[in-house]
Amino acid sequence: MNIRTTLAAAAFALAAVLPLSAAESLPEVPREFRAAWVATVANIDWPTKPGLSTEEQKAEAIAILDKTADMNMNAIVLQVRPAADALYPSKLEPWSYYLTGQQGKAPEPYYDPLEFWVDEAHARGIELHCWFNPYRAGHPTQKGEFSDDSVQKTKPQIVRQLASKGFFWMDPAMKETQDHSIAVVMDVVNRYDVDGIHFDDYFYPYPSYNDGADFPDDESWAAYQASGGTMERGDWRREAVNDFVHRLYDEIKDAKPHVMLGISPFGIARPGKPREIKGFDQYATLYADTEKWLDEGWVDYFTPQLYWNINQVPQSFPLLLGWWVQNNPHDRHIWPGLYTSRFGTPGDDRYNIEELENQILITRGMPGATGHVHFSMKAFMNNPEELAARIADKLYSEAALVPASPWLGDDEPGQPAVTATANEAANQVVVSWKPEDKDEAFLYLVQMKRGGDWDHRIVSGSSDSVTLPLRRTKVVTEASNQGLDTKETEVIGDPIGLVAVSAVSRNGIQGEAVLAEVKAE
């Protein structure tokens, strides 16, 4: 070991034991789940149309993730199975039509889209949750024939064609359906470094998908009765969905306890809950017993789709949100879904930006609600200045950690060894660290003090350093010269004098911070 290496190691060792002064109290960093759905069905969000080249698909994904990071959001819920198909290589189901324009056809040049999304999200400190439709087997927007490896061809006995043209559904009451869908989900859990598994509100189909007729499960219902079953038909259907949710939760926890299971059901559990609420009855129609899933602790987060306005009395946003947080006996995360994509709809002024802002503020003020999910990312991509910039500036101005999930494990990650070096001429501070255990940290929280003010940055757990401005800057002149925009900045304020670095685990548990003084180069 040469003298330079020895001195560097000594510097790290000294920084690691620098005590956090009793007079130096670190401020708490905001905790809030800030996510957006990225829908692939009908190419709602990504890719923007079927058959884009690999490079075009990657560029669109990067643009979404960069916007997510720029807005200080911290999670993406990516739809990877829109209709018994796959946005990743699978031996169980075919490549999605929405990716390549032909079901069963792989991307050209070949790549793994889900691996790409996971890697790029984590590099930005963003969680990646995989969104599956558990039973849908065909959607009207799909074009062309089903491929030979589609469930229509490999397991036709579990698929039902609905009356509305183009909709196909697997029979949820059949054990073979449950086994297949659970195998599909667990294949992703086991092969990819995902942070969550997510289902939306599509359990049994909405009545309109079958022209108002009952779900065509006469065959499986008759088999149940012949076996001696005594439940009413609705209870039998609900119990099948309950079994699926329960089985999957247990299998996920057996494989990877940190991977969360989240569900985003229709926003009303049942009409009359609470008393003033009216509307669609998912319990009786979609056979989704949402209260039971919370009561039994079979989910890690719940995202009821509260797609109504604050003052819409029969389906009031705050009234419904309050009901969900009050009926959550295991204190699971409640992160309501917001109908952000309705913003800017021609002729629809019900969901203006003030409504969205107020819904976020109401959620922040509701004990037991610790985040929200936007449907969908397209709203921010299509309205970058009017919507995205305003939300980012007013409501997401500070980066936030995802709320902790201590029931998934509450071990604190170890303390890193930290150094901070300033370069006055470059107006930079390089903060570097060495982890106690490189596998413990999913994120690093870097806090910095200028004068009497603390600020913070959240970076990926794969990082071992971050470069920060030594002093803040402001634009003093801005001009256009021969078509080129130029600006001059002025360095202002106090320099960073102290930094603190702490590791954050996959379950959101923050370790003890290590304080380091900033030293000149």
Side-chain angles (χ1 to χ4, degrees), residues 123-152:
R124 292 162 174 78
I126 295 168
E127 290 190 0
L128 198 288
H129 295 230
C130 288
W131 167 17
F132 295 79
N133 190 288
Y135 305 120
R136 188 166 59 202
H139 191 275
T141 57
Q142 293 174 232
K143 308 298 180 185
E145 299 294 323
F146 291 115
S147 66
D148 289 342
D149 51 353
S150 69
V151 71
Q152 284 83 359

Side-chain angles (χ1 to χ4, degrees), residues 234-405:
D235 293 335
W236 166 72
R237 288 172 174 170
R238 274 184 292 274
E239 190 62 21
V241 178
N242 290 341
D243 286 346
F244 174 77
V245 173
H246 187 191
R247 283 181 59 193
L248 183 60
Y249 188 80
D250 286 349
E251 289 202 26
I252 291 172
K253 299 312 168 197
D254 286 344
K256 292 183 180 179
H258 70 269
V259 174
M260 290 193 284
L261 176 61
I263 299 178
S264 55
F266 184 77
I268 300 171
R270 296 208 75 180
K273 294 188 174 184
R275 179 174 54 84
E276 298 86 352
I277 295 299
K278 300 176 183 178
F280 181 77
D281 190 347
Q282 65 177 329
Y283 178 89
T285 311
L286 304 182
Y287 304 97
D289 192 351
T290 55
E291 292 175 80
K292 186 177 182 67
W293 307 337
L294 281 173
D295 288 344
E296 297 291 342
W298 293 341
V299 293
D300 299 304
Y301 68 91
F302 231 46
T303 301
Q305 297 175 28
L306 303 188
Y307 291 172
W308 302 283
N309 281 32
I310 293 166
N311 63 355
Q312 188 170 326
V313 176
Q315 301 91 24
S316 167
F317 176 92
L319 206 58
L320 284 165
L321 178 58
W323 187 89
W324 284 107
V325 300
Q326 291 161 18
N327 289 272
N328 180 24
H330 296 278
D331 293 324
R332 298 309 198 227
H333 301 301
I334 301 295
W335 298 329
L338 310 181
Y339 198 0
T340 309
S341 284
R342 200 166 74 188
F343 172 79
T345 302
D348 185 353
D349 61 356
R350 294 174 298 167
Y351 207 72
N352 54 40
I353 196 164
E354 289 79 14
E355 176 72 26
L356 177 60
E357 290 172 343
N358 288 333
Q359 289 188 359
I360 292 172
L361 292 173
I362 286 171
T363 303
R364 287 179 178 173
M366 183 82 67
T370 57
H372 46 271
V373 185
H374 298 275
F375 187 84
S376 62
M377 194 63 197
K378 181 173 68 173
F380 297 124
M381 302 303 291
N382 290 353
N383 302 279
E385 300 302 328
E386 188 178 10
L387 180 62
R390 180 162 165 180
I391 294 296
D393 291 344
K394 291 185 65 176
L395 296 173
Y396 298 163
S397 59
E398 289 186 284
L401 291 170
V402 171
S405 305

